[in-house]
Amino acid sequence: MAIPLSIQWLNGQLIILDQQKLPHETEYIALNTLEDVYDAIVTLKVRGAPAIGITAAYGLAIAAQNHEAETAEAFLHFVKKDALYLASSRPTAVNLEWALNRLQESIESVRTVAAAKAQILEEAKRIQKEDEEACRAIGGYALQLLEGKSKVMTICNAGSIATAKYGTALAPFHLGKELGREFEVFACETRPVFQGARLTVWELQQSGVDVTLITDSMAAHTIGAKGIEAIIVGADRIAANGDTANKIGTLNLAILAKAYNIPFYVSAPVSTFDLLIADGKEIPIEERPATEITHIAGQPLAPNHTKVFNPAFDVTPAQYITAIITEKGIIKPDYEQNITGLLGAVSGGGAQS
Ligand code: MRU
């Protein structure tokens, strides 16, 4: 039993777990170019906010190694162009922009091209390492909040394979396993592309956590029938007032948690906060291809030419969130005040500029 990993820097190469092939094939692929990385993000071979940020960081570093420039300024110009390209791959997860900005800032005052090339790769590795540490810390705080509770519902995959390791929403289950604390996890399948059924169920089975699959439409009934004690989800972007974008269907669960009077927790590293936006109305929501809804595993389901609306994310208003769990601690309402209080005290944390 082992916690699966999705991103590795091995012998000078970026190797990712192809999440589109899961759960029936465990295939690792090398991403060798900027275009490989862009394609892997767009086609969901790698997905989940922190994992997207880490992969894009390595993508920028890989492309940077091949740029020939006379001066450090000219080199930075190439890097900025590549960063804009990668940033256009997916719009909602702010970790993407955050990681790309961090890499660019890390070489702004570097004097030589050779030093900048080395620095940018080191910064990508640091982002990955820090994310693993952040997720482990999130798991510890989440275990405190889940004290005395064992039946927990989640949606999508905010797990180890969506981060450097451990995950955000799934971190307490992996960490709990390491510490001998057992949970019964109920995973929503997460239509339209089934990150819950394909990824969360697989990932938790890999580390020996008890997991039960339900369809998204069974959530309300299951909370009552199985005595669910808490809901925990990840995040793609959290606004300054606590409004949280996450996988489509998260808002349904937040409303259900309120109706059933159970806690609704959001787990995310500080790199998922976007303090430049006041509230959730400003979060860009990705719309994805109609075929994700009209087809299942390549097989047509709906009539040809069916009109489709396919938003990949929704925004949960802060009022539905019991607490936001970060690596720096647990944030409770008043979010407006407490988010800036916590992130303001963190140097370099969060997407603040
Ligand atoms: O479309 P996806 O699979 O990238 O969406 C992922 C989610 O919504 C996750 O819950 C979120 O990114 C947090 S991952 C730790």
Side-chain angles (χ1 to χ4, degrees), residues 321-332:
I321 301 170
T322 312
I324 304 175
I325 308 163
T326 78
E327 71 273 36
K328 302 292 170 195
I330 297 164
I331 311 177
K332 292 197 172 154

Side-chain angles (χ1 to χ4, degrees), residues 201-285:
V201 169
W202 175 82
E203 176 179 320
L204 292 178
Q205 286 173 349
Q206 295 302 301
S207 60
V209 176
D210 182 326
V211 57
T212 302
L213 176 65
I214 59 167
T215 70
D216 301 339
S217 53
M218 293 171 188
H221 174 78
T222 305
I223 293 171
K226 294 290 183 183
I228 301 296
E229 296 161 296
I231 296 175
I232 188 164
V233 301
D236 286 83
R237 192 184 295 237
I238 303 173
N241 73 342
D243 289 354
T244 294
N246 191 50
K247 180 53 54 189
I248 193 76
T250 299
L251 173 58
N252 300 29
L253 295 186
I255 294 167
L256 288 178
K258 190 144 210 137
Y260 276 96
N261 197 25
I262 58 172
F264 180 84
Y265 299 125
V266 170
S267 276
V270 295
S271 53
T272 302
F273 287 78
D274 184 352
L275 299 190
L276 293 177
I277 59 170
D279 60 45
K281 288 196 288 297
E282 294 178 58
I283 299 178
I285 299 295

Side-chain angles (χ1 to χ4, degrees), residues 114-173:
K117 285 185 179 182
Q119 168 63 30
I120 202 164
L121 181 58
E122 282 317 301
E123 196 65 19
K125 290 181 189 169
R126 247 191 302 276
I127 287 175
Q128 182 175 20
K129 185 168 175 290
E130 286 174 19
D131 188 64
E132 178 174 335
E133 289 161 3
C135 289
R136 200 169 199 285
I138 285 170
Y141 287 118
L143 282 175
Q144 285 174 23
L145 284 176
L146 293 172
E147 192 60 52
K149 299 185 185 345
S150 61
K151 294 185 180 204
V152 184
M153 185 174 283
T154 191
I155 187 167
C156 194
N157 173 272
S160 181
I161 59 171
T163 63
K165 194 177 174 185
Y166 294 105
T168 55
L170 302 191
F173 312 133

